[in-house]
Amino acid sequence: MTALVIAEHDHASIKPATLNTVTAALACGGDVHVLVAGANAAEAGKAAAQIAGVSKVIVADSPSLAENLAENVAAQVLAIASNYSHILFPSTANGKNVAPRVAAKLDVAQISDITKVDSPDTFERPIYAGNAIATVQSSDATKVITVRTTGFDAAAVTGGTATVETAEGVADSGKSSFVGREVTKSERPELTAAKIIVSGGRALGSAEKFTEVMAPLADKLNAGLGASRAAVDAGYAPNDWQVGQTGKIVAPQLYIAAGISGAIQHLAGMKDSKVIVAINKDEEAPIFSVADYGLVADLFVAVPELVKAL
Ligand SMILES: Cc1cc2nc3c(=O)[nH]c(=O)nc-3n(C[C@H](O)[C@H](O)[C@H](O)COP(=O)(O)OP(=O)(O)OC[C@H]3O[C@@H](n4cnc5c(N)ncnc54)[C@H](O)[C@@H]3O)c2cc1C
């Protein structure tokens, strides 16, 4: 029984989501291999070989894999899929783009967004915005899985001694082509990797107030900035800051929610955070039901005071 983890990488280094996926793969019980499908990706391959618990890294190098086109990456996975009992992807935009293609071609059911491995064929996954946990047993020969990264600790980035093999890169599928990419650049930590997140809600009232009140707190704590969907929909914060069921799923060491009511769709994205602090002027706000520390206060007073105290 061998599991294959599809690495998330930038050709030179391995992205953190890969590490949580390796932990999930190890829990499946067998050997763990990592596929690095990229172009000039030898450095990423070397980094993957250092991950604790990985026994083999396969580097597939081809110009067709330079831009991570899902059609080509899926073909690369399928080229070696028959060697594996489990194929695991991080539940990221990339992983979720490739995994269904692989599952469909293998004629198996995808097992989505797992948060726990009970046994090699039985997995747990949240449903109904995290309000229930489904235990899913699969009888498929190959388990194609996406892994909710917040459900698993990151494997250590060093300590591994995997062998590195090269595989022939697939030819371009011809089904899609790379046109361009606009990447958001930010000085702040990326939300899904941030150790601390400060999030603002509808209560902020405007984009200007959101920046004026929340940014100094994020700066003091070197935190990522998040937002509720109401704040995003109202234009107070950009779309990629949204935390929740239809935004990002995060589990930082510290999550500070200011002026966020705590609707289930928001909680679905942050309730696994290690320590949750809520600031809300309504003591009945549902956010307090998941908060470790709650402050019933006007955020326009409390947040600047907090910044000053820090
Ligand atoms: C299918 C679906 C998917 C969704 N996905 C998401 C998602 O991914 N993420 C998400 O966040 N939401 C999501 N939502 C929306 C969600 O249901 C809520 O509408 C949203 O989270 C509310 O945002 P909010 O808490 O900022 O606003 P509100 O619910 O309006 O809460 C504002 C809070 O601020 C408090 N407040 C007001 N003034 C102050 C002040 N001066 N100081 C302190 N506190 C103050 C109020 O007491 C209140 O609790 C989704 C909804 C649906 C139907």
Side-chain angles (χ1 to χ4, degrees), residues 20-44:
N20 311 82
T21 310
V22 165
T23 302
L26 287 165
C28 294
D31 280 353
V32 172
H33 296 180
V34 172
L35 171 66
V36 177
N40 299 319
E43 284 307 310

Side-chain angles (χ1 to χ4, degrees), residues 200-203 227-231 242-248 258-266 279-282 285-286 297-300:
R202 196 198 311 264
S228 70
R229 176 156 154 184
Q242 184 179 316
V243 172
Q245 185 187 340
T246 44
K248 292 188 172 145
I260 293 180
S261 59
I264 50 167
Q265 295 90 355
H266 188 79
I279 304 171
N280 197 303
K281 68 177 185 186
D282 173 11
D298 183 341
L299 74 89
F300 294 105

Side-chain angles (χ1 to χ4, degrees), residues 178-185:
F178 178 72
V179 177
R181 175 179 289 126
E182 281 175 34
V183 182
T184 314
K185 287 211 174 75

Side-chain angles (χ1 to χ4, degrees), residues 171-236:
D172 184 32
S173 71
K175 290 182 182 145
S176 59
S177 59
F178 178 72
V179 177
R181 175 179 289 126
E182 281 175 34
V183 182
T184 314
K185 287 211 174 75
S186 169
E187 304 282 294
R188 298 185 199 286
E190 207 278 313
L191 271 188
T192 52
K195 291 201 165 56
I196 303 178
I197 294 175
V198 300
S199 274
R202 196 198 311 264
L204 270 308
S206 69
E208 293 71 29
K209 279 284 168 198
F210 198 105
T211 308
E212 185 188 315
V213 176
M214 300 305 290
L217 183 58
D219 290 344
K220 278 273 179 189
L221 295 169
N222 190 26
L225 261 176
S228 70
R229 176 156 154 184
V232 169
D233 286 351
Y236 306 163

Side-chain angles (χ1 to χ4, degrees), residues 9 24 36 81 106 121 132 152 155 159 166 173 200-201 215 218 225 234 236 257 266 274:
H9 64 89
V36 177
L106 292 176
D121 67 357
F152 297 88
T166 51
S173 71
L225 261 176
Y236 306 163
H266 188 79
K274 300 285 177 293

